[in-house]
Amino acid sequence: GRGFARGVLAELERTAHDRGRRRMVLETGTAQPEAIALYTSSGYAAIPKFGQYREYPNSRCYGKML
């Protein structure tokens, strides 16, 4: 509740953008509702599952254009 996770996420986005990345993709699970809330409140939208996460029914993937 002190904003540490939001700060870490913002720094990851900044460094990715500075290195020429145009999109961030994240994965979490349904057992982490706090992560889901952070991602959606930070502008991430649900995307199709990718990679190994396709096989996990409780996996949730999110993406955001930088």
Side-chain angles (χ1 to χ4, degrees):
R2 294 184 172 188
F4 294 126
R6 191 170 303 280
V8 169
L9 183 57
E11 181 64 10
L12 289 170
E13 291 173 350
R14 185 192 67 73
T15 57
H17 181 267
D18 289 351
R19 287 170 175 75
R21 302 297 188 252
R22 294 184 281 186
R23 181 173 75 131
M24 289 277 293
V25 293
L26 304 169
E27 186 278 338
T28 192
T30 57
Q32 288 81 36
E34 296 87 356
I36 293 170
L38 172 64
Y39 299 162
T40 58
S41 70
S42 297
Y44 287 80
I47 61 171
K49 294 179 192 176
F50 57 89
Q52 69 187 32
Y53 303 115
R54 287 186 190 112
E55 305 300 319
Y56 296 97
N58 294 330
S59 177
R60 298 296 180 265
C61 296
Y62 295 87
K64 176 181 175 180
M65 297 303 295
L66 300 174

Short mmCIF file of all heavy atoms in Angstrom, two decimals:
data_model
loop_
_atom_site.label_atom_id
_atom_site.label_comp_id
_atom_site.label_asym_id
_atom_site.label_seq_id
_atom_site.Cartn_x
_atom_site.Cartn_y
_atom_site.Cartn_z
N GLY A 1 0.78 -1.20 0.00
CA GLY A 1 0.00 0.00 0.00
C GLY A 1 0.83 1.28 0.00
O GLY A 1 0.29 2.35 0.14
N ARG A 2 2.14 1.17 -0.15
CA ARG A 2 3.00 2.36 -0.14
C ARG A 2 3.46 2.77 -1.54
O ARG A 2 4.24 3.69 -1.68
CB ARG A 2 4.22 2.11 0.73
CG ARG A 2 3.87 1.95 2.18
CD ARG A 2 5.11 1.81 2.99
NE ARG A 2 4.80 1.84 4.41
CZ ARG A 2 5.70 1.89 5.34
NH1 ARG A 2 6.98 1.91 5.02
NH2 ARG A 2 5.33 1.91 6.60
N GLY A 3 3.01 2.06 -2.55
CA GLY A 3 3.35 2.43 -3.91
C GLY A 3 4.66 1.87 -4.44
O GLY A 3 5.10 2.26 -5.52
N PHE A 4 5.28 0.95 -3.71
CA PHE A 4 6.55 0.39 -4.17
C PHE A 4 6.38 -0.38 -5.48
O PHE A 4 7.19 -0.22 -6.40
CB PHE A 4 7.18 -0.51 -3.10
CG PHE A 4 7.61 0.22 -1.87
CD1 PHE A 4 7.18 -0.19 -0.63
CD2 PHE A 4 8.46 1.31 -1.95
CE1 PHE A 4 7.58 0.48 0.51
CE2 PHE A 4 8.86 2.00 -0.82
CZ PHE A 4 8.41 1.58 0.43
N ALA A 5 5.36 -1.22 -5.55
CA ALA A 5 5.14 -2.02 -6.77
C ALA A 5 4.87 -1.11 -7.96
O ALA A 5 5.40 -1.35 -9.06
CB ALA A 5 3.99 -2.99 -6.56
N ARG A 6 4.09 -0.07 -7.76
CA ARG A 6 3.80 0.87 -8.84
C ARG A 6 5.08 1.58 -9.29
O ARG A 6 5.32 1.78 -10.47
CB ARG A 6 2.75 1.89 -8.40
CG ARG A 6 2.21 2.73 -9.55
CD ARG A 6 1.00 3.54 -9.14
NE ARG A 6 -0.09 2.74 -8.62
CZ ARG A 6 -0.96 2.07 -9.38
NH1 ARG A 6 -0.87 2.12 -10.69
NH2 ARG A 6 -1.93 1.38 -8.82
N GLY A 7 5.94 1.91 -8.35
CA GLY A 7 7.22 2.53 -8.69
C GLY A 7 8.13 1.60 -9.46
O GLY A 7 8.80 2.01 -10.42
N VAL A 8 8.19 0.35 -9.04
CA VAL A 8 9.01 -0.64 -9.76
C VAL A 8 8.48 -0.83 -11.18
O VAL A 8 9.25 -0.85 -12.15
CB VAL A 8 9.03 -1.99 -9.00
CG1 VAL A 8 9.64 -3.09 -9.85
CG2 VAL A 8 9.79 -1.84 -7.68
N LEU A 9 7.17 -0.95 -11.32
CA LEU A 9 6.57 -1.11 -12.65
C LEU A 9 6.88 0.10 -13.53
O LEU A 9 7.25 -0.05 -14.70
CB LEU A 9 5.06 -1.33 -12.53
CG LEU A 9 4.31 -1.58 -13.83
CD1 LEU A 9 4.87 -2.77 -14.59
CD2 LEU A 9 2.82 -1.77 -13.54
N ALA A 10 6.76 1.29 -12.99
CA ALA A 10 7.06 2.51 -13.76
C ALA A 10 8.52 2.53 -14.20
O ALA A 10 8.82 2.93 -15.33
CB ALA A 10 6.72 3.74 -12.92
N GLU A 11 9.41 2.10 -13.34
CA GLU A 11 10.83 2.07 -13.70
C GLU A 11 11.09 1.02 -14.77
O GLU A 11 11.89 1.25 -15.70
CB GLU A 11 11.69 1.81 -12.47
CG GLU A 11 13.17 1.78 -12.73
CD GLU A 11 13.76 3.10 -13.21
OE1 GLU A 11 13.09 4.15 -13.18
OE2 GLU A 11 14.94 3.08 -13.64
N LEU A 12 10.46 -0.12 -14.69
CA LEU A 12 10.59 -1.14 -15.73
C LEU A 12 10.11 -0.60 -17.07
O LEU A 12 10.75 -0.82 -18.11
CB LEU A 12 9.82 -2.40 -15.36
CG LEU A 12 10.40 -3.23 -14.22
CD1 LEU A 12 9.41 -4.30 -13.79
CD2 LEU A 12 11.72 -3.85 -14.66
N GLU A 13 8.97 0.09 -17.05
CA GLU A 13 8.44 0.68 -18.29
C GLU A 13 9.42 1.72 -18.84
O GLU A 13 9.66 1.77 -20.05
CB GLU A 13 7.09 1.33 -18.03
CG GLU A 13 6.00 0.34 -17.73
CD GLU A 13 4.70 0.99 -17.31
OE1 GLU A 13 4.67 2.22 -17.06
OE2 GLU A 13 3.69 0.26 -17.24
N ARG A 14 9.96 2.55 -17.98
CA ARG A 14 10.88 3.61 -18.42
C ARG A 14 12.13 3.01 -19.05
O ARG A 14 12.55 3.42 -20.13
CB ARG A 14 11.26 4.51 -17.25
CG ARG A 14 12.13 5.71 -17.67
CD ARG A 14 12.73 6.43 -16.49
NE ARG A 14 13.73 5.64 -15.78
CZ ARG A 14 14.96 5.36 -16.23
NH1 ARG A 14 15.35 5.82 -17.39
NH2 ARG A 14 15.79 4.63 -15.50
N THR A 15 12.73 2.04 -18.38
CA THR A 15 13.96 1.45 -18.91
C THR A 15 13.69 0.68 -20.20
O THR A 15 14.51 0.72 -21.12
CB THR A 15 14.66 0.56 -17.88
OG1 THR A 15 13.79 -0.46 -17.44
CG2 THR A 15 15.13 1.38 -16.69
N ALA A 16 12.56 0.01 -20.28
CA ALA A 16 12.21 -0.69 -21.53
C ALA A 16 12.04 0.31 -22.67
O ALA A 16 12.57 0.12 -23.77
CB ALA A 16 10.93 -1.49 -21.34
N HIS A 17 11.34 1.40 -22.40
CA HIS A 17 11.14 2.44 -23.42
C HIS A 17 12.47 3.05 -23.84
O HIS A 17 12.73 3.25 -25.03
CB HIS A 17 10.20 3.51 -22.88
CG HIS A 17 9.92 4.59 -23.86
ND1 HIS A 17 10.65 5.75 -23.91
CD2 HIS A 17 8.99 4.67 -24.84
CE1 HIS A 17 10.18 6.51 -24.89
NE2 HIS A 17 9.17 5.87 -25.47
N ASP A 18 13.34 3.33 -22.87
CA ASP A 18 14.65 3.92 -23.17
C ASP A 18 15.52 3.00 -24.02
O ASP A 18 16.41 3.46 -24.73
CB ASP A 18 15.40 4.26 -21.88
CG ASP A 18 14.79 5.44 -21.14
OD1 ASP A 18 13.89 6.12 -21.69
OD2 ASP A 18 15.23 5.69 -19.99
N ARG A 19 15.24 1.71 -23.97
CA ARG A 19 16.00 0.73 -24.75
C ARG A 19 15.30 0.38 -26.06
O ARG A 19 15.65 -0.60 -26.72
CB ARG A 19 16.27 -0.51 -23.91
CG ARG A 19 17.33 -0.23 -22.85
CD ARG A 19 17.44 -1.36 -21.86
NE ARG A 19 18.53 -1.16 -20.93
CZ ARG A 19 18.54 -0.31 -19.91
NH1 ARG A 19 17.51 0.47 -19.70
NH2 ARG A 19 19.57 -0.22 -19.10
N GLY A 20 14.29 1.17 -26.41
CA GLY A 20 13.63 1.00 -27.71
C GLY A 20 12.47 0.04 -27.74
O GLY A 20 11.93 -0.25 -28.82
N ARG A 21 12.05 -0.45 -26.61
CA ARG A 21 10.89 -1.35 -26.59
C ARG A 21 9.63 -0.53 -26.79
O ARG A 21 9.52 0.59 -26.30
CB ARG A 21 10.81 -2.13 -25.28
CG ARG A 21 12.02 -2.96 -24.98
CD ARG A 21 12.22 -4.03 -26.04
NE ARG A 21 13.26 -4.95 -25.68
CZ ARG A 21 14.45 -4.99 -26.28
NH1 ARG A 21 14.74 -4.15 -27.24
NH2 ARG A 21 15.35 -5.87 -25.92
N ARG A 22 8.67 -1.10 -27.48
CA ARG A 22 7.42 -0.38 -27.74
C ARG A 22 6.23 -0.94 -26.98
O ARG A 22 5.18 -0.31 -26.92
CB ARG A 22 7.11 -0.41 -29.23
CG ARG A 22 8.14 0.37 -30.03
CD ARG A 22 7.78 0.42 -31.46
NE ARG A 22 8.16 -0.85 -32.07
CZ ARG A 22 8.10 -1.10 -33.36
NH1 ARG A 22 7.64 -0.21 -34.18
NH2 ARG A 22 8.48 -2.26 -33.82
N ARG A 23 6.42 -2.14 -26.38
CA ARG A 23 5.30 -2.76 -25.69
C ARG A 23 5.83 -3.56 -24.51
O ARG A 23 6.90 -4.14 -24.56
CB ARG A 23 4.57 -3.70 -26.65
CG ARG A 23 3.37 -4.39 -26.05
CD ARG A 23 2.60 -5.16 -27.10
NE ARG A 23 3.27 -6.38 -27.48
CZ ARG A 23 2.69 -7.58 -27.54
NH1 ARG A 23 1.41 -7.70 -27.29
NH2 ARG A 23 3.38 -8.64 -27.88
N MET A 24 5.04 -3.54 -23.43
CA MET A 24 5.33 -4.38 -22.26
C MET A 24 4.27 -5.46 -22.20
O MET A 24 3.09 -5.19 -22.44
CB MET A 24 5.24 -3.57 -20.97
CG MET A 24 6.36 -2.58 -20.75
SD MET A 24 7.84 -3.30 -20.03
CE MET A 24 7.29 -3.75 -18.40
N VAL A 25 4.68 -6.67 -21.88
CA VAL A 25 3.74 -7.76 -21.63
C VAL A 25 4.08 -8.37 -20.27
O VAL A 25 5.24 -8.51 -19.91
CB VAL A 25 3.74 -8.82 -22.74
CG1 VAL A 25 3.21 -8.25 -24.04
CG2 VAL A 25 5.11 -9.41 -22.97
N LEU A 26 3.05 -8.67 -19.52
CA LEU A 26 3.19 -9.19 -18.17
C LEU A 26 2.30 -10.40 -17.99
O LEU A 26 1.27 -10.54 -18.65
CB LEU A 26 2.78 -8.12 -17.15
CG LEU A 26 3.51 -6.78 -17.25
CD1 LEU A 26 2.81 -5.75 -16.38
CD2 LEU A 26 4.96 -6.93 -16.85
N GLU A 27 2.69 -11.25 -17.05
CA GLU A 27 1.88 -12.42 -16.73
C GLU A 27 1.73 -12.50 -15.23
O GLU A 27 2.66 -12.18 -14.48
CB GLU A 27 2.56 -13.68 -17.25
CG GLU A 27 1.76 -14.95 -17.11
CD GLU A 27 1.81 -15.60 -15.73
OE1 GLU A 27 2.78 -15.35 -14.98
OE2 GLU A 27 0.89 -16.35 -15.39
N THR A 28 0.57 -12.91 -14.79
CA THR A 28 0.31 -13.18 -13.39
C THR A 28 -0.74 -14.27 -13.32
O THR A 28 -1.15 -14.81 -14.34
CB THR A 28 -0.12 -11.89 -12.64
OG1 THR A 28 -0.08 -12.16 -11.22
CG2 THR A 28 -1.49 -11.41 -13.05
N GLY A 29 -1.18 -14.57 -12.13
CA GLY A 29 -2.19 -15.62 -11.96
C GLY A 29 -3.40 -15.10 -11.22
O GLY A 29 -3.36 -14.05 -10.58
N THR A 30 -4.45 -15.86 -11.30
CA THR A 30 -5.69 -15.46 -10.66
C THR A 30 -5.56 -15.40 -9.13
O THR A 30 -6.36 -14.75 -8.47
CB THR A 30 -6.84 -16.41 -11.03
OG1 THR A 30 -6.47 -17.76 -10.69
CG2 THR A 30 -7.15 -16.33 -12.52
N ALA A 31 -4.53 -16.04 -8.57
CA ALA A 31 -4.31 -16.00 -7.13
C ALA A 31 -3.61 -14.72 -6.68
O ALA A 31 -3.34 -14.55 -5.50
CB ALA A 31 -3.51 -17.23 -6.68
N GLN A 32 -3.29 -13.83 -7.63
CA GLN A 32 -2.63 -12.56 -7.32
C GLN A 32 -3.53 -11.40 -7.74
O GLN A 32 -3.19 -10.63 -8.65
CB GLN A 32 -1.28 -12.45 -8.04
CG GLN A 32 -0.21 -13.34 -7.48
CD GLN A 32 -0.33 -14.77 -7.99
OE1 GLN A 32 -0.69 -15.03 -9.12
NE2 GLN A 32 -0.04 -15.71 -7.11
N PRO A 33 -4.66 -11.22 -7.07
CA PRO A 33 -5.57 -10.14 -7.47
C PRO A 33 -4.95 -8.75 -7.33
O PRO A 33 -5.31 -7.83 -8.07
CB PRO A 33 -6.77 -10.31 -6.54
CG PRO A 33 -6.26 -11.07 -5.37
CD PRO A 33 -5.17 -11.96 -5.92
N GLU A 34 -3.99 -8.59 -6.42
CA GLU A 34 -3.33 -7.30 -6.27
C GLU A 34 -2.52 -6.96 -7.52
O GLU A 34 -2.48 -5.81 -7.96
CB GLU A 34 -2.42 -7.30 -5.04
CG GLU A 34 -3.16 -7.46 -3.73
CD GLU A 34 -3.38 -8.92 -3.35
OE1 GLU A 34 -3.02 -9.85 -4.14
OE2 GLU A 34 -3.91 -9.15 -2.25
N ALA A 35 -1.85 -7.96 -8.10
CA ALA A 35 -1.09 -7.73 -9.33
C ALA A 35 -2.03 -7.37 -10.47
O ALA A 35 -1.75 -6.44 -11.24
CB ALA A 35 -0.26 -8.96 -9.68
N ILE A 36 -3.13 -8.07 -10.59
CA ILE A 36 -4.11 -7.78 -11.64
C ILE A 36 -4.62 -6.35 -11.49
O ILE A 36 -4.71 -5.60 -12.46
CB ILE A 36 -5.25 -8.81 -11.61
CG1 ILE A 36 -4.72 -10.18 -12.02
CG2 ILE A 36 -6.40 -8.37 -12.52
CD1 ILE A 36 -5.70 -11.33 -11.81
N ALA A 37 -4.93 -5.96 -10.27
CA ALA A 37 -5.41 -4.60 -10.02
C ALA A 37 -4.34 -3.56 -10.38
O ALA A 37 -4.65 -2.52 -10.98
CB ALA A 37 -5.85 -4.44 -8.57
N LEU A 38 -3.09 -3.83 -10.02
CA LEU A 38 -2.00 -2.91 -10.36
C LEU A 38 -1.86 -2.77 -11.86
O LEU A 38 -1.78 -1.66 -12.39
CB LEU A 38 -0.67 -3.41 -9.76
CG LEU A 38 0.58 -2.64 -10.20
CD1 LEU A 38 0.53 -1.19 -9.73
CD2 LEU A 38 1.82 -3.35 -9.71
N TYR A 39 -1.85 -3.89 -12.57
CA TYR A 39 -1.67 -3.85 -14.01
C TYR A 39 -2.81 -3.10 -14.69
O TYR A 39 -2.57 -2.22 -15.52
CB TYR A 39 -1.56 -5.25 -14.59
CG TYR A 39 -0.38 -6.05 -14.08
CD1 TYR A 39 -0.35 -7.43 -14.20
CD2 TYR A 39 0.70 -5.45 -13.44
CE1 TYR A 39 0.71 -8.18 -13.74
CE2 TYR A 39 1.76 -6.19 -12.96
CZ TYR A 39 1.77 -7.56 -13.12
OH TYR A 39 2.82 -8.29 -12.65
N THR A 40 -4.03 -3.41 -14.35
CA THR A 40 -5.15 -2.75 -15.02
C THR A 40 -5.23 -1.27 -14.66
O THR A 40 -5.53 -0.45 -15.52
CB THR A 40 -6.48 -3.47 -14.73
OG1 THR A 40 -6.71 -3.52 -13.33
CG2 THR A 40 -6.48 -4.89 -15.30
N SER A 41 -4.92 -0.93 -13.42
CA SER A 41 -4.95 0.49 -13.04
C SER A 41 -3.77 1.27 -13.63
O SER A 41 -3.79 2.49 -13.64
CB SER A 41 -4.98 0.64 -11.52
OG SER A 41 -3.73 0.26 -10.95
N SER A 42 -2.77 0.55 -14.13
CA SER A 42 -1.60 1.18 -14.76
C SER A 42 -1.72 1.21 -16.28
O SER A 42 -0.75 1.52 -16.97
CB SER A 42 -0.32 0.44 -14.36
OG SER A 42 -0.12 0.54 -12.96
N GLY A 43 -2.89 0.87 -16.80
CA GLY A 43 -3.13 0.97 -18.23
C GLY A 43 -2.93 -0.30 -19.03
O GLY A 43 -2.98 -0.27 -20.26
N TYR A 44 -2.71 -1.40 -18.37
CA TYR A 44 -2.54 -2.68 -19.07
C TYR A 44 -3.91 -3.26 -19.38
O TYR A 44 -4.84 -3.13 -18.60
CB TYR A 44 -1.73 -3.66 -18.23
CG TYR A 44 -0.27 -3.30 -18.17
CD1 TYR A 44 0.18 -2.31 -17.32
CD2 TYR A 44 0.65 -3.92 -19.00
CE1 TYR A 44 1.51 -1.94 -17.28
CE2 TYR A 44 2.00 -3.56 -18.96
CZ TYR A 44 2.41 -2.57 -18.11
OH TYR A 44 3.73 -2.21 -18.07
N ALA A 45 -3.98 -3.93 -20.53
CA ALA A 45 -5.21 -4.60 -20.95
C ALA A 45 -4.94 -6.09 -21.12
O ALA A 45 -3.81 -6.49 -21.44
CB ALA A 45 -5.70 -4.01 -22.27
N ALA A 46 -5.95 -6.88 -20.88
CA ALA A 46 -5.81 -8.33 -21.06
C ALA A 46 -5.45 -8.64 -22.51
O ALA A 46 -5.98 -8.02 -23.44
CB ALA A 46 -7.10 -9.03 -20.67
N ILE A 47 -4.52 -9.57 -22.69
CA ILE A 47 -4.11 -10.03 -24.02
C ILE A 47 -4.17 -11.55 -24.03
O ILE A 47 -4.23 -12.17 -22.96
CB ILE A 47 -2.68 -9.54 -24.38
CG1 ILE A 47 -1.64 -10.09 -23.39
CG2 ILE A 47 -2.64 -8.02 -24.45
CD1 ILE A 47 -0.19 -9.84 -23.79
N PRO A 48 -4.14 -12.17 -25.21
CA PRO A 48 -4.11 -13.63 -25.25
C PRO A 48 -2.87 -14.16 -24.52
O PRO A 48 -1.80 -13.54 -24.55
CB PRO A 48 -4.05 -13.95 -26.75
CG PRO A 48 -4.61 -12.74 -27.41
CD PRO A 48 -4.21 -11.58 -26.55
N LYS A 49 -3.02 -15.31 -23.92
CA LYS A 49 -1.89 -15.93 -23.23
C LYS A 49 -0.81 -16.26 -24.25
O LYS A 49 -1.09 -16.58 -25.40
CB LYS A 49 -2.34 -17.21 -22.53
CG LYS A 49 -3.30 -16.95 -21.41
CD LYS A 49 -3.72 -18.27 -20.80
CE LYS A 49 -4.89 -18.09 -19.88
NZ LYS A 49 -5.36 -19.38 -19.37
N PHE A 50 0.44 -16.19 -23.81
CA PHE A 50 1.57 -16.44 -24.70
C PHE A 50 2.50 -17.48 -24.09
O PHE A 50 2.47 -17.73 -22.89
CB PHE A 50 2.32 -15.13 -24.99
CG PHE A 50 2.81 -14.43 -23.75
CD1 PHE A 50 4.06 -14.71 -23.23
CD2 PHE A 50 2.02 -13.49 -23.10
CE1 PHE A 50 4.52 -14.06 -22.09
CE2 PHE A 50 2.47 -12.83 -21.98
CZ PHE A 50 3.72 -13.12 -21.46
N GLY A 51 3.32 -18.05 -24.95
CA GLY A 51 4.35 -18.99 -24.50
C GLY A 51 3.80 -20.10 -23.63
O GLY A 51 2.72 -20.62 -23.85
N GLN A 52 4.57 -20.44 -22.61
CA GLN A 52 4.20 -21.53 -21.71
C GLN A 52 2.91 -21.25 -20.95
O GLN A 52 2.27 -22.17 -20.46
CB GLN A 52 5.33 -21.82 -20.74
CG GLN A 52 5.54 -20.70 -19.73
CD GLN A 52 6.77 -20.90 -18.87
OE1 GLN A 52 7.76 -21.47 -19.32
NE2 GLN A 52 6.71 -20.43 -17.64
N TYR A 53 2.54 -19.98 -20.84
CA TYR A 53 1.36 -19.62 -20.05
C TYR A 53 0.06 -20.04 -20.71
O TYR A 53 -0.97 -20.10 -20.06
CB TYR A 53 1.36 -18.11 -19.79
CG TYR A 53 2.61 -17.65 -19.10
CD1 TYR A 53 3.49 -16.80 -19.75
CD2 TYR A 53 2.94 -18.10 -17.83
CE1 TYR A 53 4.67 -16.38 -19.13
CE2 TYR A 53 4.11 -17.70 -17.21
CZ TYR A 53 4.97 -16.84 -17.86
OH TYR A 53 6.12 -16.44 -17.25
N ARG A 54 0.09 -20.35 -22.01
CA ARG A 54 -1.12 -20.82 -22.70
C ARG A 54 -1.71 -22.07 -22.04
O ARG A 54 -2.90 -22.28 -22.11
CB ARG A 54 -0.78 -21.16 -24.16
CG ARG A 54 -0.55 -19.99 -25.02
CD ARG A 54 -0.37 -20.47 -26.47
NE ARG A 54 0.09 -19.37 -27.28
CZ ARG A 54 1.29 -19.28 -27.82
NH1 ARG A 54 2.18 -20.26 -27.67
NH2 ARG A 54 1.61 -18.23 -28.54
N GLU A 55 -0.85 -22.84 -21.43
CA GLU A 55 -1.26 -24.13 -20.86
C GLU A 55 -1.86 -24.02 -19.46
O GLU A 55 -2.37 -24.99 -18.94
CB GLU A 55 -0.06 -25.08 -20.82
CG GLU A 55 0.62 -25.27 -22.15
CD GLU A 55 -0.31 -25.84 -23.21
OE1 GLU A 55 -1.11 -26.74 -22.89
OE2 GLU A 55 -0.23 -25.37 -24.36
N TYR A 56 -1.79 -22.84 -18.85
CA TYR A 56 -2.23 -22.69 -17.47
C TYR A 56 -3.56 -21.95 -17.40
O TYR A 56 -3.64 -20.77 -17.74
CB TYR A 56 -1.17 -21.94 -16.65
CG TYR A 56 0.12 -22.70 -16.56
CD1 TYR A 56 1.17 -22.42 -17.43
CD2 TYR A 56 0.28 -23.72 -15.63
CE1 TYR A 56 2.36 -23.13 -17.36
CE2 TYR A 56 1.47 -24.43 -15.55
CZ TYR A 56 2.50 -24.14 -16.41
OH TYR A 56 3.67 -24.85 -16.34
N PRO A 57 -4.61 -22.63 -16.94
CA PRO A 57 -5.92 -21.98 -16.91
C PRO A 57 -6.01 -20.79 -15.97
O PRO A 57 -6.81 -19.88 -16.19
CB PRO A 57 -6.87 -23.10 -16.47
CG PRO A 57 -6.01 -24.14 -15.86
CD PRO A 57 -4.66 -24.01 -16.48
N ASN A 58 -5.18 -20.74 -14.94
CA ASN A 58 -5.22 -19.62 -13.99
C ASN A 58 -4.28 -18.48 -14.35
O ASN A 58 -4.18 -17.50 -13.61
CB ASN A 58 -4.92 -20.12 -12.58
CG ASN A 58 -5.99 -21.05 -12.08
OD1 ASN A 58 -7.15 -20.92 -12.44
ND2 ASN A 58 -5.62 -21.99 -11.24
N SER A 59 -3.58 -18.60 -15.47
CA SER A 59 -2.67 -17.56 -15.91
C SER A 59 -3.45 -16.43 -16.57
O SER A 59 -4.45 -16.65 -17.25
CB SER A 59 -1.67 -18.15 -16.92
OG SER A 59 -0.83 -17.14 -17.42
N ARG A 60 -2.98 -15.19 -16.36
CA ARG A 60 -3.56 -14.01 -16.99
C ARG A 60 -2.43 -13.17 -17.56
O ARG A 60 -1.44 -12.92 -16.87
CB ARG A 60 -4.38 -13.18 -15.99
CG ARG A 60 -5.58 -13.91 -15.40
CD ARG A 60 -6.63 -14.25 -16.45
NE ARG A 60 -7.77 -14.94 -15.89
CZ ARG A 60 -7.92 -16.27 -15.85
NH1 ARG A 60 -6.96 -17.05 -16.31
NH2 ARG A 60 -9.00 -16.80 -15.34
N CYS A 61 -2.58 -12.73 -18.81
CA CYS A 61 -1.54 -11.95 -19.47
C CYS A 61 -2.09 -10.57 -19.81
O CYS A 61 -3.26 -10.41 -20.15
CB CYS A 61 -1.06 -12.66 -20.73
SG CYS A 61 -0.27 -14.25 -20.38
N TYR A 62 -1.19 -9.58 -19.73
CA TYR A 62 -1.58 -8.18 -19.94
C TYR A 62 -0.52 -7.51 -20.80
O TYR A 62 0.66 -7.86 -20.75
CB TYR A 62 -1.69 -7.45 -18.59
CG TYR A 62 -2.79 -8.00 -17.75
CD1 TYR A 62 -2.56 -9.08 -16.90
CD2 TYR A 62 -4.06 -7.48 -17.82
CE1 TYR A 62 -3.58 -9.62 -16.14
CE2 TYR A 62 -5.09 -8.02 -17.06
CZ TYR A 62 -4.85 -9.09 -16.24
OH TYR A 62 -5.86 -9.63 -15.50
N GLY A 63 -0.94 -6.52 -21.56
CA GLY A 63 -0.02 -5.78 -22.40
C GLY A 63 -0.32 -4.29 -22.37
O GLY A 63 -1.44 -3.88 -22.07
N LYS A 64 0.71 -3.52 -22.74
CA LYS A 64 0.56 -2.05 -22.78
C LYS A 64 1.58 -1.51 -23.77
O LYS A 64 2.74 -1.88 -23.74
CB LYS A 64 0.83 -1.47 -21.39
CG LYS A 64 0.80 0.04 -21.31
CD LYS A 64 1.09 0.49 -19.89
CE LYS A 64 1.20 1.98 -19.77
NZ LYS A 64 1.48 2.39 -18.39
N MET A 65 1.13 -0.61 -24.63
CA MET A 65 2.04 0.08 -25.52
C MET A 65 2.79 1.13 -24.71
O MET A 65 2.21 1.80 -23.87
CB MET A 65 1.28 0.73 -26.67
CG MET A 65 0.56 -0.24 -27.58
SD MET A 65 1.63 -1.50 -28.32
CE MET A 65 2.68 -0.51 -29.35
N LEU A 66 4.09 1.22 -24.98
CA LEU A 66 4.89 2.22 -24.29
C LEU A 66 4.98 3.46 -25.15
O LEU A 66 5.32 4.49 -24.82
CB LEU A 66 6.28 1.68 -23.98
CG LEU A 66 6.33 0.44 -23.09
CD1 LEU A 66 7.75 -0.08 -22.97
CD2 LEU A 66 5.78 0.76 -21.71
#
